[in-house]
Amino acid sequence: MSTPEQDLLRRALGVLTEMAPAALELGDQFLAAGYELSLVGGPVRDAFLGRASNDLDFATSASPSQTQKILARWGDANWDIGREFGTIGARRGDVVVEVTTYRTDKYDPASRKPLVEFGETLDGDLSRRDFTVNAMAVRVPDLTFVDPFSGLSDLAAGVLRTPIAPERSFDDDPLRMMRAARFAAQLSFHVEQGTLAALVAMAQRIEIVSAERVQAEITKLLLSDNPRAGLEVLVDTGLAEQVLPELPALQLEIDEHHRHKDVYQHSLTVLEQAIAQETGPDGPVPAPDLVLRLASLLHDIGKPATRRFEAGGGVSFHHHEVVGAKLTAKRLKALKFEKQVVKDVSRLVELHLRFHGYGDGAWTDSAVRRYVTDAGPLLERLHRLTRADSTTRNKRKAQRLSDAYTDLENRISALREQEEIDAIRPDLDGTQIMAILGIPPSRQVGEAYKYLLGLRMEQGPLGEDLATEELKKWWAQR
């Protein structure tokens, strides 16, 4: 009977023997020039997991200049944007390679940028990798497997462990601590106990890493298949206190429904339920959707600041959506997310309670129009966030909420057919308003436009004649 490691080796052999011939030819060219070349990192790990890739990372004994000469002969195009770190890239057809000179890197205690030193051996280069499952290599062109740190055993066991002492590894590059959480999410692996203890002890070291690099890891984590596992690593180790403190703060707040251990657990569940509602590539919210996932995770971060204990033992969080939207924007800006992402996520947080109360009494058509107009292009995401926010264990209540939201969606569809609800405008534009009232461009035109928009929301389409009559009445009463 074969061992898990033997099964993985067979799987990897099948993937690697089908590796692009152009990549194997590259190994021949390095060998002919007297240099070593090995496939390293993610492509090797993924081969053992049965995944092939046309984006290949290599390590070599050649210097960057020597590498560039070889790649210039091999590829259709090459680039040296990573030369500072020893990396030269090239493309040949659909195959993209990055070849990096053996190296070691570490952080100056006072600097946010890693210092790069070139190394001399493949084993030395592998020792500076983040985890043993990423510290395996395959020499090319002969496809010799190199595993000095037992990465294959850890891969079979689903374990994340550093190749060298974790304290030294994380001190050399603190971003590896964030990668532990990211790989826990991407691979559904667990962090080995000694490595986990080092994460806890050294969490504050992440402070020296730039916000951009931290944000990139958070993004990859959230876009994975199992972000909950990675987020739990961040919170349990104290890393989240440094990079996303609003998340662990939710552990202190008891959910108002008293159906969850705390708002933190509720938020993780909402995230999972929102992910389950993402669509295929041709749907309105193609998976994975960063905006929806961020909004789902952060939708309740205003609760700690708004918690109030009411008479009779109840707990309230009045206006937590407004406070949460501001906190969300502040945190995402600090993490250097794109402006549009910041704007969209904070808007969804602000709107996530808008549906509350719909099932208690029928909304007017005006209320439905405003719901759609306020959500704008975020409406499909808001649909999913609102549905995901129902985590009650009471099946009858859950069904009642689902039915109410289905009713709202049906009403939106009906109004869309009648009124082109997604593009609601007043019955008169600014030019017409100025002509009817005999006024030049001014603040008063904006006030008149806003008044007519309100009428449009309340009463539906009026037509130009009735809108003109209403505008004149409004103007006369000013």
Side-chain angles (χ1 to χ4, degrees), residues 149-167:
F149 304 103
S150 302
L152 186 58
S153 295
D154 287 344
L155 190 68
V159 171
L160 293 171
R161 180 173 58 87
T162 55
I164 59 176
E167 295 82 3

Side-chain angles (χ1 to χ4, degrees), residues 182-201:
R182 190 239 295 181
F183 286 122
Q186 290 181 329
L187 303 174
S188 293
F189 283 9
H190 68 273
V191 183
E192 178 266 337
Q193 286 300 313
T195 304
L196 193 65
L199 286 172
V200 174

Side-chain angles (χ1 to χ4, degrees), residues 308-326:
R308 298 292 181 271
F309 295 100
E310 307 292 350
V315 181
S316 67
F317 302 94
H318 295 307
H319 305 301
H320 78 267
E321 73 279 12
V322 177
V323 173
K326 293 178 180 178

Side-chain angles (χ1 to χ4, degrees), residues 38-51:
S38 298
L39 187 68
V40 294
V44 177
R45 180 199 68 227
D46 288 346
F48 283 105
L49 296 175
R51 308 167 186 165

